[in-house]
């Protein structure tokens, strides 16, 4: 049974997700930054996340907290996890009445003193948390300073009155913060613990956002985009990938490419250092359409540094809706950038398409879906899409003034669902059931379009998706479609990794004749008419011609193509050379099988 590490500690910081999908959870880089600063300042710090606390019994969790006897337990809160935080905070106060329960995160900036209505929450910090949390530790643990002097702190004074201190000034030079210490993440029973092979490093290279999309809560961080220097980012990424042997880095900034000159410097530095240190890791990041539209050369730069996944904020296929979102992009710009991604190759682009947005109707939803499918075909195999519901995050313009957008908020506390997984607002013409149906239509349409595109996709692009999984542990939507609908492709390309296995087009004629064909499906299945049926591809593959069935019988890795031609010659009723048999019967048949990934050739 799983054990939670037990050790005396000053402060425990917890990332408590609202779900238990351990495959996709990660520790918030903001909390890790706070933990790193506290550790560097001499405090004993422990970090825990969903996986640590959902894979063990209630009694073991209780034992962990009572054994550790922390003076402070801190939580990151958001719209989805706030109820779970309250439940766990209540337990902690029951077990350890003298422990201070602290909360932080963007939601604190919105809710302020309302959070302390909950008796299980003692204090909250709004704004950037590193230095206020450090000063709070000095006060509680060392009895140094006064609560009233800690900027960004919300607390109860000795009379029980809630006090809100002045906001913490933003950290303008982020390089003064210590590099994130991923060793603080410690042991966890789930797949994502500290970084490692097929286990991404989640890295934040900057804070804030210079834009003001009406649905985005980033505005609570203040205007502007502050970032670590290019050299600091390069150093952090390279040192941690080398230390933890990680095969991927996920840069979580919404606006990583906002400064193209800095982005270029980072890409050049990573490319140079990867070559110098002989490291291979992939990069994922987010970017804006308008920035790529003005600086399309960034795609090649990012690719050269190892970018394989790019998330773009497209959101919708109606220009009027994009304008209401204050996206400051056009449909033409979107098409241009997706076209550049198709030309660049080697980068998978992803975007959410929001359902239930401003003045949404059946017609606008259909038009947005049509635009998404168009983009999928503009960059076959390289553009992926998924539906999401509009979420009226607290503090956003949509949450404050839903009537401006033709919306009615029906679940602003998300009591019934996660924020983007179910509708929490409706439009004048679409109710909850309508929006759920439209989402299903989007999902089915995206899946069907992927299947259509896969049948026409070139070999190199298919290989790219399989390699992303095998080399970096990154599963694209296309990879999962292949896994579910055409598993023979995965088996084929994994087998193809051997340096002694080839495709027809990769061999010279003399080598080809000496090669031994190996069928990917060894067990032969029959139809009622005793035709051969090959499964595992996007559609059933039938072998109906008796001569082709005989060729397939011999394609078991025991005979060369030349030997198979010799065996066939005796069964043909007319004079024909073995070379002619190869050209007329064998190679055309193998090319068909190669198109459906059912044959490989062994040297």
């Amino acid at each position: 049974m799983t054990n939670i590490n037990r050790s005396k500690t000053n402060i425990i910081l917890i990332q408590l997700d609202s779900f238990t999908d351990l495959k996709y959870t990660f520790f918030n880089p903001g909390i890790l930054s706070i933990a790193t600063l506290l550790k560097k300042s001499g405090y004993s710090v422990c970090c825990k996340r969903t996986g640590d606390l959902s894979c063990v019994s209630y009694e073991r969790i209780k034992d962990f907290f009572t054994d550790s006897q922390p003076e402070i337990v801190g939580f990151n809160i958001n719209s989805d996890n706030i109820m779970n935080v309250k439940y766990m905070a209540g337990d902690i106060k029951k077990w350890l009445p003298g422990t201070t329960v602290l909360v932080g995160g963007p939601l604190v900036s919105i809710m302020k003193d309302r959070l302390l209505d909950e008796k299980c929450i003692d204090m909250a910090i709004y704004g950037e948390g590193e230095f206020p949390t450090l000063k709070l530790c000095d006060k509680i643990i060392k009895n140094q300073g006064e609560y009233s002097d800690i900027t960004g702190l919300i607390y109860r004074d000795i009379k029980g009155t809630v006090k809100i201190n002045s906001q913490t000034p933003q950290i303008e030079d982020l390089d003064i913060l210590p590099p994130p210490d991923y060793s603080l993440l410690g042991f966890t029973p789930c797949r994502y613990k500290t970084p490692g092979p097929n286990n991404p490093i989640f890295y934040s290279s900057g804070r804030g956002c210079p834009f003001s999309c009406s649905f985005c809560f980033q505005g609570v961080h203040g205007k502007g985009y502050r970032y670590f220097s290019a050299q600091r980012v390069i150093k952090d990424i390279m040192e941690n990938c080398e230390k933890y042997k990680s095969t991927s880095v996920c840069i979580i900034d919404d606006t990583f490419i906002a400064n193209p000159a800095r982005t270029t410097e980072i890409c050049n530095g990573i490319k140079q250092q990867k070559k110098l240190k002989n490291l291979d890791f992939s990069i994922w990041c987010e970017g804006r359409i308008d920035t790529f539209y003005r600086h399309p050369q960034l795609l090649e730069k990012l690719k050269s540094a190892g970018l394989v996944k790019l998330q773009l904020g497209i959101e919708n296929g109606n220009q009027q809706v994009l304008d209401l979102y204050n996206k400051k992009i056009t449909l033409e710009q979107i098409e241009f950038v997706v076209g550049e991604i198709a030309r660049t190759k080697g980068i998978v682009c992803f975007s959410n398409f929001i359902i239930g947005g401003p003045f949404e109707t059946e017609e606008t939803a259909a038009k947005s879906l049509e635009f998404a499918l168009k983009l999928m075909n503009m960059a076959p195999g390289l553009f992926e899409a998924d539906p999401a519901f509009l979420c009226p995050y607290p503090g956003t313009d949509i949450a404050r003034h839903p009537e401006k957008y033709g919306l009615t908020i029906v679940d602003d506390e998300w009591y019934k669902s996660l924020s983007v997984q179910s509708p929490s607002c409706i439009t004048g013409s679409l109710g909850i059931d309508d929006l759920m149906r439209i989402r299903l239509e989007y999902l089915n349409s995206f899946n069907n379009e992927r299947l259509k595109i896969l049948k026409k996709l070139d070999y190199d692009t298919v290989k790219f998706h399989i390699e992303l999984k095998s080399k970096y542990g990154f599963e694209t939507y296309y990879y999962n479609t292949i896994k579910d609908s055409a598993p023979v492709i995965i088996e084929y390309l994994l087998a193809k990794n051997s340096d002694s296995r080839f495709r027809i087009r990769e061999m010279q004629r003399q080598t080809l004749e000496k090669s031994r064909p190996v069928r990917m499906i060894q067990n032969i299945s029959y139809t009622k008419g005793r035709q051969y049926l090959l499964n595992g591809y996007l559609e059933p593959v039938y072998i109906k011609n008796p001569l082709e069935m005989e060729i397939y019988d011999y394609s078991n890795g025991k005979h060369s193509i030349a030997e198979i031609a010799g065996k066939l010659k005796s069964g043909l009723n007319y004079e024909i050379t073995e070379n002619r048999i190869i050209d007329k019967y064998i190679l055309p048949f193998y090319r068909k099988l190669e198109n459906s990934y059912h044959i490989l050739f062994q040297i």
Side-chain angles (χ1 to χ4, degrees):
M1 183 174 287
T2 302
N3 289 314
I4 297 181
N5 291 346
R6 298 180 177 184
S7 60
K8 183 75 175 178
T9 188
N10 300 132
I11 181 167
I12 298 173
L13 296 178
I14 300 173
Q15 170 69 40
L16 192 63
D17 292 320
S18 52
F19 53 88
T20 54
D21 188 344
L22 305 185
K23 183 176 180 181
Y24 295 105
T25 187
F26 66 92
F27 199 80
N28 184 286
I31 314 176
L32 182 59
S33 179
I34 294 171
T36 300
L37 179 64
L38 294 177
K39 178 182 177 182
K40 193 173 180 64
S41 302
Y43 287 106
S44 173
V45 185
C46 179
C47 296
K48 294 296 175 185
R49 78 192 86 184
T50 305
D52 301 305
L53 303 171
S54 64
C55 297
V56 291
S57 70
Y58 181 85
E59 287 302 316
R60 284 178 179 269
I61 294 173
K62 177 183 177 182
D63 289 347
F64 163 70
F65 281 103
T66 55
D67 288 353
S68 299
Q69 292 288 311
E71 283 104 323
I72 303 172
V73 176
F75 292 91
N76 171 270
I77 61 167
N78 56 50
S79 301
D80 282 328
N81 78 349
I82 186 169
M83 298 304 297
N84 289 349
V85 168
K86 290 177 182 178
Y87 292 138
M88 178 162 282
D91 284 337
I92 291 169
K93 294 299 288 185
K94 181 172 60 179
W95 302 328
L96 302 167
T99 294
T100 298
V101 172
L102 172 71
V103 296
L107 197 61
V108 179
S109 298
I110 307 299
M111 298 185 69
K112 291 286 197 316
D113 56 320
R114 284 187 291 156
L115 285 167
L116 269 64
D117 290 344
E118 302 292 334
K119 298 306 179 185
C120 59
I121 297 176
D122 299 304
M123 298 181 183
I125 288 176
Y126 68 103
E128 291 181 300
E130 284 89 353
F131 294 109
T133 306
L134 177 58
K135 289 183 179 180
L136 184 62
C137 286
D138 291 342
K139 168 60 180 170
I140 292 176
I141 298 169
K142 298 180 179 178
N143 198 26
Q144 296 177 357
E146 299 296 333
Y147 290 126
S148 58
D149 295 331
I150 302 174
T151 58
L153 181 66
I154 305 171
Y155 67 104
R156 300 184 190 92
D157 65 13
I158 195 168
K159 297 179 181 179
T161 303
V162 174
K163 298 289 185 179
I164 303 177
N165 292 347
S166 61
Q167 186 163 350
T168 305
Q170 289 184 339
I171 303 171
E172 295 303 328
D173 180 12
L174 293 179
D175 281 8
I176 67 173
L177 295 173
D181 185 351
Y182 292 98
S183 69
L184 279 165
L185 302 186
F187 174 81
T188 177
C190 70
R191 187 167 78 99
Y192 284 152
K193 43 182 179 178
T194 52
N198 292 343
N199 193 7
I201 290 172
F202 288 91
Y203 182 78
S204 174
S205 81
R207 297 178 181 179
C209 180
F211 307 101
S212 53
C213 298
S214 58
F215 59 82
C216 183
F217 67 89
Q218 286 288 2
V220 302
H221 296 299
K223 294 293 182 183
Y225 176 47
R226 296 163 293 127
Y227 41 77
F228 293 102
S229 66
Q231 290 305 312
R232 165 65 185 269
V233 173
I234 296 165
K235 185 173 184 290
D236 286 352
I237 289 176
M238 295 308 303
E239 287 184 353
N240 282 297
C241 282
E242 190 170 24
K243 179 178 180 179
Y244 295 105
K245 312 300 181 190
S246 186
T247 56
S248 53
V249 176
C250 181
I251 301 174
I252 66 168
D253 313 15
D254 288 350
T255 47
F256 172 63
I257 67 166
N259 184 331
R262 170 179 175 266
T263 305
T264 298
E265 186 179 352
I266 291 171
C267 290
N268 289 340
I270 290 177
K271 178 183 177 182
Q272 181 185 46
Q273 288 295 309
K274 285 171 79 171
K275 184 176 181 181
L276 185 67
K277 297 176 180 291
N278 193 30
L279 291 178
D280 180 21
F281 56 83
S282 67
I283 296 173
W284 317 346
C285 79
E286 299 186 27
R288 277 185 60 95
I289 287 289
D290 51 352
T291 307
F292 280 120
Y293 180 75
R294 292 191 302 271
H295 304 278
Q297 73 279 3
L298 281 178
L299 288 169
E300 287 287 359
K301 279 293 179 185
L302 288 161
K303 179 183 173 183
S304 72
L307 182 75
V308 297
K309 178 185 177 183
L310 172 65
Q311 181 159 339
L312 290 174
I314 293 175
E315 326 301 359
N316 202 274
N318 296 273
Q319 187 61 55
Q320 300 92 325
V321 176
L322 294 178
D323 294 341
L324 286 166
Y325 283 150
N326 199 31
K327 290 290 296 181
K328 292 183 169 58
I329 60 175
T330 67
L331 298 179
E332 291 75 17
Q333 289 174 338
I334 295 170
E335 290 188 24
F336 172 82
V337 172
V338 172
E340 287 296 299
I341 288 168
R343 182 191 62 77
T344 303
K345 291 189 177 296
I347 298 173
V348 177
C349 170
F350 170 84
S351 184
N352 279 315
F353 279 75
I354 298 176
I355 299 170
F359 304 101
E360 186 85 282
T361 64
E362 296 279 359
E363 290 73 23
T364 61
K367 185 176 179 181
S368 190
L369 174 58
E370 181 183 358
F371 185 68
L373 298 178
K374 178 181 180 180
L375 297 179
M376 290 178 71
N377 284 279
M378 285 183 63
L382 299 176
F383 183 86
E384 301 187 324
D386 204 35
F389 292 107
L390 177 68
C391 177
Y393 287 113
T396 62
D397 195 58
I398 282 179
R400 292 196 302 265
H401 308 290
E403 69 284 350
K404 281 172 41 180
Y405 302 90
L407 299 169
T408 301
I409 299 175
V410 294
D411 186 14
D412 58 355
E413 299 289 345
W414 298 283
Y415 286 133
K416 298 180 180 179
S417 65
L418 299 181
S419 56
V420 297
Q421 297 302 315
S422 294
S424 50
C425 50
I426 59 177
T427 72
S429 61
L430 298 174
I432 297 293
D433 291 344
D434 299 314
L435 294 169
M436 294 294 285
R437 171 181 51 78
I438 289 171
R439 180 179 182 271
L440 183 59
E441 290 172 0
Y442 271 53
L443 288 170
N444 290 336
S445 295
F446 290 152
N447 185 57
N448 291 336
E449 202 66 26
R450 280 195 298 272
L451 289 170
K452 291 178 187 176
I453 290 171
L454 269 172
K455 292 177 184 178
K456 301 178 287 186
L457 215 51
D458 63 272
Y459 174 81
D460 288 337
T461 304
V462 174
K463 179 182 176 184
F464 172 60
H465 285 276
I466 307 304
E467 286 184 342
L468 288 182
K469 169 62 177 177
S470 61
K471 289 176 66 175
Y472 306 120
F474 171 35
E475 295 180 4
T476 64
Y477 281 82
Y478 275 96
Y479 174 85
N480 285 321
T481 300
I482 292 169
K483 180 178 66 176
D484 295 338
S485 303
V488 71
I489 297 178
I490 296 176
E491 295 175 21
Y492 182 95
L493 286 164
L494 291 178
K496 177 73 171 52
N497 281 335
S498 168
D499 58 8
S500 64
R501 289 176 178 165
F502 299 89
R503 304 170 74 219
I504 290 173
R505 68 196 68 187
E506 296 171 344
M507 294 182 285
Q508 300 293 328
R509 176 61 183 240
Q510 187 176 9
T511 305
L512 179 63
E513 291 185 10
K514 294 178 181 178
S515 69
R516 290 171 285 116
V518 182
R519 57 189 184 230
M520 294 305 302
I521 297 177
Q522 292 298 327
N523 294 327
I524 299 174
S525 299
Y526 299 91
T527 66
K528 288 184 178 180
R530 283 195 59 81
Q531 300 168 351
Y532 288 174
L533 169 61
L534 309 185
N535 290 310
Y537 187 56
L538 297 164
E539 57 191 6
V541 175
Y542 297 96
I543 305 176
K544 302 177 181 180
N545 183 291
L547 183 60
E548 292 181 344
M549 293 171 72
E550 187 175 2
I551 296 171
Y552 190 75
D553 288 338
Y554 284 125
S555 303
N556 54 21
K558 299 178 181 179
H559 318 283
S560 69
I561 288 179
E563 290 170 341
I564 293 173
K567 295 178 182 298
L568 295 178
K569 182 177 179 180
S570 61
L572 294 172
N573 297 324
Y574 55 91
E575 194 65 31
I576 186 172
T577 66
E578 292 177 4
N579 277 338
R580 181 62 177 153
I581 293 173
I582 292 173
D583 290 332
K584 185 175 181 180
Y585 300 111
I586 295 179
L587 292 185
F589 173 63
Y590 283 153
R591 287 191 180 97
K592 287 192 296 184
L593 290 186
E594 203 168 72
N595 288 337
S596 60
Y597 300 86
H598 278 110
I599 197 79
L600 262 177
F601 299 89
Q602 181 89 33
I603 299 297

